[in-house]
Each structure stands twice: as C-alpha cells, then as structure tokens.
Amino acid sequence: MGISVYYTCMRNHNLTNSEEQEITAIIDKYNVGFEMKDIGETFCVYDYEQNEPTVIFAGSTKLPFSDDFEDTLHALFYWLTCLTDIRRSIFGHLIEH
C-alpha cells in the first residue's frame, strides 16, 4: 500500500510560456533535491488533455513506503512545499495580469 499526492490546477486559459518555464524550473529543483528517490517517486507532470481545456496543470507523486512514518511525513511536507511554489507561481501571474 502507498500514498499518492495528486494535483490539478484549473482556469479558463492555458499557461503562458513563461509560466510553463517557471513551473518546469520549480519541479526540476524539487525532483533533483528529493532525497528519498530509492523509496519514493519524484513529481510527474501529466500531459495536457485537449478534452479538458480548463485543466492547465496536473501531476502526482507517490510518497515513500517506509516503516519509519517520519520518512512519509518528511516527503509529504517536501512535495506540499513544491506544490505551494507552483500554486504561487500560477496565481502570482494571475494577480499581475
């Protein structure tokens, strides 16, 4: 059994090129820095779905399966921080427009 974290962001227009670049940089930073790759997964971004035009970003990660609950909590907080940075990036651009 494992625990996965899924994230979906919706709005009425697609990501801009600068938003995509910023989000990619955020995800790359967190994926590279993730210390539990041997027992957990890095963040995976899903392909854009043409039939769901309001979904502008979606992805997931699987938290480490470990006997030490602290590992799971550490990974959860790590990925929630990544998602917070992504959300701030997207919504920061919305506020600027």
Side-chain angles (χ1 to χ4, degrees):
M1 184 174 101
I3 300 170
S4 295
V5 176
Y6 296 89
Y7 184 80
T8 303
C9 182
M10 301 170 76
R11 73 175 182 201
N12 292 330
H13 59 281
N14 293 336
L15 293 171
T16 64
N17 287 338
S18 65
E19 288 172 323
E20 285 183 20
Q21 290 172 355
E22 192 171 334
I23 290 168
T24 297
I26 291 167
I27 293 168
D28 288 348
K29 177 182 98 173
Y30 280 91
N31 281 347
V32 167
F34 186 53
E35 297 176 351
M36 293 181 266
K37 293 179 185 124
D38 55 328
I39 59 174
E41 295 178 6
T42 56
F43 194 80
C44 172
V45 177
Y46 300 151
D47 291 333
Y48 177 73
E49 292 287 331
Q50 293 291 335
N51 61 345
E52 293 189 50
T54 60
V55 175
I56 61 166
F57 177 80
S60 68
T61 186
K62 187 173 184 179
L63 300 179
F65 186 68
S66 171
D67 291 335
D68 186 353
F69 187 65
E70 294 293 321
D71 288 343
T72 304
L73 283 179
H74 176 74
L76 176 62
F77 294 140
Y78 184 84
W79 292 118
L80 289 177
T81 303
C82 174
L83 293 173
T84 297
D85 288 351
I86 292 169
R87 181 186 57 79
R88 286 180 177 156
S89 171
I90 292 171
F91 288 102
H93 286 280
L94 289 176
I95 293 168
E96 292 171 8
H97 292 143

